[in-house]
Amino acid sequence: MYHLGIDIGGTNLKFGLLNKRFELVEDNSIKMPKSLDLESIKNTLLDKIEKIVQKYKLSSVGIGVPGIIDNGGTIVESPNIPALNGFNFLEFLQSSIPQRIGYNIPIKLENDANIAAIAEMTIGSGVNYDNFIYITLGTGVGGAIILNRQLFRGNQGSAGEIGHMIFNPLAKPKKRAYRTGVLEEYLGKKAIISYAKRIAHKYPNSVLNKSQMFDIISISDYADKGDELAIACMEKIGFYLGITVISLANLLDINHFIVGGGISKSSDYFYNKAKEIANKRALPHLQGRIIIEKAKFSSKAGIIGSAIFGAIK
């Protein structure tokens, strides 16, 4: 019997199977339908699950989705997959999957950042922590709060939307008011690349500048090679992360932070600056106690966490 974990993204649909010891025995991914319309998504998902059960007997299914999910399983908003907005995805899955596979099993749905935090808590970097905050840095900024080794979901089920903390209240208003001046506009992938391009003229001798390879991997790699432009970028986003961390630490009295997502693999300049700022700006009882570490899982956090979440009673 195996636990199936599914990570639904705007580009790829990832699948992973864990055995009873939570060891990953198989994983793969397929492309999401280009149209990203609701019917295509549903059919693609169910067809793949049907193929999996031809080879494996499942005991549970857990699914992670980007976006805000209410306590009843309705997708309130999924920025990357708008076709899911307003759709009770959990109800659909719980009725459709058993019909396809021919037997009943537990089926759960959760926000993708929460899912990744569960992976870290259970078999990752958070194994020894009762309380920690998980921050995922990629295209956007997400998060999850673990209290007493339980996922804190809040009244509406959407706690941990760290990327939507108001970071600059004086920012130019956006069409969607809730996006005005939020952290994601400063610490997300697009913001980092935009910042690199904006300050590039200050570093005419930068190899990064001359190569014009303004992507997260290149910025991080060039920082490790001593490129001044790249280092400036890493330290800037490290500053933003440090401010975010200490704001959360001062509010919740939690001192352990785990950083996942694509940007989590960035240069030590990024982490060193974040730790410096967080501990410098901490309240006295937290000074020197702030711990910021990389997540154990990166690209496979979604499938591992989903499978574990589905298996939890």
Side-chain angles (χ1 to χ4, degrees), residues 21-269:
R21 294 184 296 277
F22 291 158
E23 296 167 332
L24 186 65
V25 295
E26 185 173 323
D27 68 281
N28 59 65
S29 68
I30 59 175
K31 292 292 184 182
M32 285 284 278
K34 290 183 178 180
S35 61
L36 281 182
D37 65 283
L38 186 56
E39 287 305 310
S40 296
I41 293 170
K42 292 193 294 186
N43 291 332
T44 300
L45 179 62
L46 293 176
D47 289 347
K48 179 62 177 178
I49 292 173
E50 190 172 3
K51 290 180 181 178
I52 290 171
V53 297
Q54 292 173 2
K55 184 178 179 182
Y56 296 96
K57 180 76 172 179
L58 302 181
S59 58
S60 65
V61 177
I63 301 175
V65 181
I68 298 172
I69 306 170
D70 71 15
N71 290 321
T74 295
I75 311 296
V76 178
E77 180 169 359
S78 179
N80 297 330
I81 316 175
L84 295 177
N85 294 348
F87 180 57
N88 193 317
F89 203 17
L90 180 60
E91 186 178 271
F92 162 76
L93 294 167
Q94 290 178 334
S95 63
S96 300
I97 291 177
Q99 291 178 12
R100 281 292 188 103
I101 68 176
Y103 53 89
N104 290 317
I105 53 173
I107 299 166
K108 296 181 182 179
L109 178 74
E110 186 54 270
N111 166 270
D112 57 352
N114 289 345
I115 285 296
I118 288 170
E120 295 298 328
M121 176 183 70
T122 309
I123 55 174
S125 296
V127 166
N128 297 317
Y129 303 149
D130 289 335
N131 306 302
F132 69 88
I133 294 176
Y134 176 82
I135 301 175
T136 176
L137 302 176
T139 302
V141 178
I145 303 169
I146 300 296
L147 298 177
N148 298 317
R149 298 198 63 75
Q150 297 290 323
L151 178 66
F152 176 70
R153 301 187 81 249
N155 289 338
Q156 310 302 321
S158 60
E161 285 293 326
I162 291 169
H164 282 88
M165 291 170 54
I166 305 299
F167 201 68
N168 179 9
L170 301 179
K172 183 179 178 180
K174 290 184 173 289
K175 184 176 180 180
R176 293 180 293 173
Y178 65 85
R179 294 289 300 176
T180 300
V182 298
L183 177 65
E184 194 167 276
E185 296 292 310
Y186 297 85
L187 197 48
K189 182 171 70 174
K190 290 182 180 179
I192 297 166
I193 293 172
S194 175
Y195 178 73
K197 293 178 178 178
R198 196 163 63 247
I199 66 169
H201 69 279
K202 298 180 180 179
Y203 302 92
N205 296 321
S206 162
V207 178
L208 176 63
N209 193 357
K210 292 176 181 178
S211 70
Q212 291 292 296
M213 293 181 65
F214 294 116
D215 59 76
I216 298 300
I217 293 175
S218 295
I219 293 171
S220 178
D221 287 346
Y222 277 111
D224 289 336
K225 294 174 182 177
D227 188 276
E228 291 185 344
L229 169 58
I231 291 172
C233 291
M234 285 287 103
E235 291 190 337
K236 186 69 171 181
I237 63 171
F239 173 83
Y240 288 152
L241 178 62
I243 292 296
T244 301
V245 162
I246 200 53
S247 297
L248 292 167
N250 286 343
L251 176 67
L252 298 173
D253 192 22
I254 292 177
N255 62 307
H256 291 108
F257 292 81
I258 296 173
V259 182
I263 298 174
S264 68
K265 295 176 281 190
S266 292
S267 164
D268 286 343
Y269 284 101

